[in-house]
């Protein structure tokens, strides 16, 4: 297949590149990524957050506080050596809760984007490959979803399903998939004209096999870039929903819900809302840096 | 196709989009919930009240009949009643929407006024320190949880320093300017009341700044990209080659061409910012539709949420229509 990269136009090399020589291209991309300082910083922060999430029970000085233990006598204490981020209204250690919060935020971010990709990528591929009325129907549906700003649509779906972190995750995924659908549709539309697809057709490969074996793998680079970019925004949106009261419910140590609760204790007990908010910022910032770095390394045409 | 026919065609194309929007909101309010009647009646409703709602919305009818009824209601502006305010949702929306629109317009004004020049500067100084700093700020601005940023600025600038009010559109003890447009800044000017104008602006500034940071960052990045792309094109090279000063190349040749594609993004960010009010208004006690939706969400008051959803969706569609029209107006090369 590697000869095909020479046949197609210069602009499409990157697209077809994954199919032309997947390993070579990925390795080149990896090398470029490693030189991208901000991307590496993002990756380092994410690895750190993952470690925090996994080893939360070992890191948190008061693991019980994450699940709603009450110590009334310790309530509303400022940051100190024994409570680096202070304590909340129930006397729970804010640091321990923030540490456990990493689990929820990372899991929700991954789940939202993963589910969205799972819905959007195949629909986009079918739409782009078959065109015609299938394309029309799928694209009009994405149009409709895109007429409502994501956070409002998620709020409506979340409210209809009932508050809770799982429902909020599903609601967000349901608002998120059109982005993946459109991305893949555009990619597939461009790939459909390529020689290697025609070649596959000529030798009698079934159409679904062409879509899923030959075309889809070639769209994976932009999809991966989008996934890494979107996880951050999904974490942000999920925290927003929890802040509104549609997502995680107390005493779940979810960062958005913690900010929401902490707001009631502003300005005198500022630490309750401040530290979980910083954690959200750190996580979203890291995924954005990673996404930017990945895009620059894997998809050099799209400089931003 | 002439401009007039394009406009009509664009309006005709709106119809399926708006119908699609109503189907989506119908599905959310009638199909997604386990018991739509119970949801609409609210958490404290008695079985009799739930039954009344079921009757009123015909929830035992086939879905198609229900949808037609639902659509008929929407056309009449009937979004149901709010359990919380005891008003019709449509009345609540009408009285609150101007507050949201004023806030969003102020935020978008800031975002464009600051984001556009920053984006151009960033492109001109590509990969040098002004660009690096601007890009770092851009990534940070889209990463900050806006509701948290609102709380922190409120703490620092309002509570601690007392520079701006904690929240609200106007002091509770004073009467706001006569309601003509619902925009306090305009109403106070119409009334010739400088004090009211300054008071309104004073209340508006902090929420507007908070709401503006995400669109500011997005506009900056988009413009940077568009300017860089235009700067690489032949006619810019020609302009430079014939010896035009680089300032004048940027102003006369690059900016005009770079701004047009960015316009689409500005339109999209406008819609997202409208959605963002859901996260910001509650913090500042801003009496708009965002706070309305959040208050409703907390109390499981479902109809207002759907009302806000439909309203924001339609507003978003109209904004994008406006951008499309502006696009054709600014770029004479576009053939309708």
């Amino acid at each position: 297949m590697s000869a095909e990269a020479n046949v197609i136009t210069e602009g499409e090399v990157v697209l077809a590149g994954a199919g032309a020589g997947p390993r070579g291209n990925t390795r080149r991309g990896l090398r470029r990524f490693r030189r991208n300082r901000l991307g590496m910083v993002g990756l380092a922060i994410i690895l750190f957050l993952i470690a925090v999430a996994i080893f939360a029970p070992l890191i948190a000085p008061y693991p019980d506080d994450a699940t709603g233990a009450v110590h009334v006598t310790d309530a509303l204490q400022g940051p100190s050596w024994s409570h680096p981020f202070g304590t909340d209204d129930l006397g729970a250690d804010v640091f321990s809760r923030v540490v456990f919060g990493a689990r929820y935020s990372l899991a929700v971010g991954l789940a939202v984007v993963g589910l969205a990709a799972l819905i959007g990528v195949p629909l986009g591929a079918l739409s782009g490959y078959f065109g015609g009325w299938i394309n029309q129907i799928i694209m009009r549906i994405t149009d409709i979803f895109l007429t409502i700003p994501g956070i409002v649509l998620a709020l409506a779906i979340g409210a209809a399903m009932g508050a809770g972190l799982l429902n909020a995750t599903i609601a967000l995924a349901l608002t998120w998939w059109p982005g993946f659908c459109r991305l893949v549709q555009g990619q597939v539309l461009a790939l459909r004209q390529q020689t290697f697809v025609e070649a596959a057709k000529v030798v009698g490969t079934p159409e679904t096999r062409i879509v899923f074996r030959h075309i889809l793998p070639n769209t994976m680079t932009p999809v991966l870039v989008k996934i890494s970019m979107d996880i951050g925004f999904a974490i942000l949106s999920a925290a927003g929903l929890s802040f509104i009261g549609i997502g995680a419910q107390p005493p779940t140590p979810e960062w958005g819900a913690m900010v929401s609760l902490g707001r009631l204790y502003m300005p005198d007990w500022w630490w309750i809302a401040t530290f979980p908010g910083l954690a959200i910022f750190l996580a979203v910032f890291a995924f954005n840096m990673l996404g930017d770095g990945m895009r620059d390394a894997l998809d050099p045409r799209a400089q931003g | 196709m002439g401009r007039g026919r394009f406009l009509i065609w664009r309006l005709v194309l709106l119809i399926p989009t708006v119908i699609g929007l109503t189907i989506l909101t119908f599905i959310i309010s009638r199909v997604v919930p386990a018991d739509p009647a119970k949801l609409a009646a609210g958490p404290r409703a008695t079985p009799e009240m739930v039954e009344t709602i079921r009757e009123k919305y015909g929830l035992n009818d086939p879905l198609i009949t229900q949808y037609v009824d639902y659509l008929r209601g929407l056309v009449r502006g009937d979004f149901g009643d709010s359990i919380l305010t005891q008003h019709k949702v449509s009345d609540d929306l009408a009285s609150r929407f101007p507050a949201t629109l004023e806030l969003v317009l102020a935020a978008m004004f800031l975002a464009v006024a600051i984001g556009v020049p920053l984006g151009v500067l960033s492109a001109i100084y590509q990969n040098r320190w002004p660009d690096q700093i601007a890009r770092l700020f851009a990534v940070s601005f889209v990463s900050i949880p806006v509701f948290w940023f609102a709380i922190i600025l409120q703490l620092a600038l309002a509570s601690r320093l007392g520079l701006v009010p904690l929240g609200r559109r106007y002091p509770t003890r004073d009467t706001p300017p006569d309601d003509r447009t619902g925009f306090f800044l305009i109403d106070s000017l119409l009334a010739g009341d400088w004090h009211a104008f300054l008071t309104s602006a004073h209340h508006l500034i902090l929420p507007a700044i908070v709401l503006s940071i995400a669109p500011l960052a997005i506009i900056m990045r988009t413009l940077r990209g568009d300017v860089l792309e235009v700067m690489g094109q032949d006619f810019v090279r020609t302009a430079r080659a014939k010896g035009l000063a680089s300032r004048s190349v940027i102003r006369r040749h690059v900016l005009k061409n770079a701004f047009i594609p960015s316009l689409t993004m500005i339109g999209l960010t406008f819609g997202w910012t409208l959605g963002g009010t859901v996260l910001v208004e509650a913090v500042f006690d801003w009496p708009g539709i965002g706070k309305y939706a959040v208050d409703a969400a907390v109390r499981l008051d479902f109809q207002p949420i759907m009302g806000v959803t439909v309203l924001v969706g339609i507003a978003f569609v109209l904004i994008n229509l406006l951008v499309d029209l502006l696009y054709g107006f600014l770029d004479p090369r576009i053939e309708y």
Side-chain angles (χ1 to χ4, degrees), chain B:
Chain B
M1 220 192 290
R3 195 150 285 177
R5 276 184 62 191
F6 171 72
L7 181 66
I8 293 170
W9 182 234
R10 230 10 219 90
L11 285 172
V12 170
L13 279 181
L14 274 189
I15 298 170
T17 312
V18 172
I19 290 179
L21 176 73
T22 59
I23 294 178
L24 180 61
T25 53
F26 172 76
I27 291 174
I28 294 172
S29 52
R30 299 287 168 80
V31 184
V32 174
D35 185 351
K38 222 172 178 171
L39 193 61
R44 278 187 209 83
T46 59
E48 292 76 38
M49 287 157 78
V50 175
E51 213 41 54
T52 320
I53 296 265
R54 209 185 299 278
E55 283 293 308
K56 188 180 165 199
Y57 294 131
L59 290 173
N60 296 321
D61 297 344
L63 277 180
I64 294 289
T65 321
Q66 281 190 51
Y67 174 68
V68 172
D69 286 345
Y70 174 80
L71 204 58
R72 228 178 253 151
L74 286 191
V75 170
R76 275 186 275 116
D78 181 7
F79 294 101
D81 302 320
S82 163
I83 299 158
L84 183 65
T85 63
Q86 302 277 328
H87 295 156
K88 291 173 89 163
V89 170
S90 49
D91 293 347
D92 283 340
L93 289 178
S95 67
R96 283 167 169 81
F97 193 52
T100 296
L101 207 54
E102 184 171 44
L103 174 58
V104 172
L105 284 171
M108 284 307 291
F109 172 77
L110 289 176
V112 172
I114 300 169
V116 168
L118 272 185
V120 175
L121 274 181
S122 204
I124 294 174
Y125 289 97
Q126 189 190 7
N127 294 333
R128 280 182 279 164
W129 66 266
D131 180 33
Q132 308 274 17
I133 292 178
R135 289 172 78 185
L136 192 68
F137 267 102
V139 180
S140 307
F141 278 2
V142 290
S143 306
I144 293 180
V146 66
F147 52 91
W148 176 77
F149 192 56
I151 294 171
I152 297 298
L153 284 193
Q154 194 181 41
L155 169 79
L157 302 181
S159 295
R160 292 270 197 260
L161 298 175
L163 292 177
V164 287
L166 270 171
R168 302 190 150 270
R169 276 182 102 184
Y170 214 77
T172 10
R173 52 183 191 286
D174 293 352
T175 32
D178 275 347
D179 185 3
R180 286 189 222 181
T181 61
F183 296 97
F184 282 9
L185 288 182
I186 296 175
D187 285 344
S188 55
L189 282 182
L190 287 177
D193 187 345
W194 269 108
H195 174 72
F197 180 79
L198 291 176
T199 311
S200 309
H202 198 209
H203 282 73
L204 181 62
I205 185 75
L206 188 56
I209 288 175
V210 168
L211 200 57
S212 73
I213 59 160
L216 192 161
I218 296 169
I219 289 170
M220 191 214 110
R221 286 180 68 144
T222 312
L223 209 75
R224 177 184 181 274
D226 288 339
V227 167
L228 281 178
E229 198 174 320
V230 175
M231 274 163 69
Q233 279 176 12
D234 288 344
F235 70 92
V236 174
R237 207 175 312 147
T238 311
R240 278 190 206 284
K242 73 179 184 188
L244 274 186
S246 75
R247 189 179 294 259
S248 124
V249 172
I250 299 282
R251 203 177 328 131
R252 300 252 308 269
H253 296 273
V254 175
L255 280 193
K256 260 194 220 157
N257 286 291
F259 192 70
I260 293 171
S262 296
L263 203 61
T264 309
M265 191 44 96
I266 293 176
L268 286 175
T269 50
F270 197 115
W272 296 331
T273 308
L274 202 56
T277 59
V278 164
L279 296 172
V280 170
E281 285 186 356
V283 176
F284 292 109
D285 208 4
W286 191 264
I289 57 168
K291 179 174 155 46
Y292 184 55
V294 173
D295 287 346
V298 172
R299 290 171 181 79
L300 299 176
D301 188 2
F302 189 63
Q303 305 294 12
I305 298 175
M306 291 320 297
V308 170
T309 307
V310 173
L311 179 62
V312 170
I314 290 174
F316 200 9
V317 170
L318 290 179
I319 291 163
N320 286 327
L321 172 73
L322 209 66
V323 167
D324 271 9
L325 296 178
L326 217 60
Y327 214 98
F329 186 70
L330 289 176
D331 190 348
R333 284 171 305 183
I334 290 177
E335 299 257 330
Y336 297 127

Side-chain angles (χ1 to χ4, degrees), chain A residues 282-300:
Chain A
L282 189 70
V284 180
F285 182 77
F287 277 105
N288 274 328
M289 296 305 247
L290 176 77
D292 270 7
M294 274 181 65
R295 189 193 48 204
D296 291 349
L298 296 174
D299 193 5

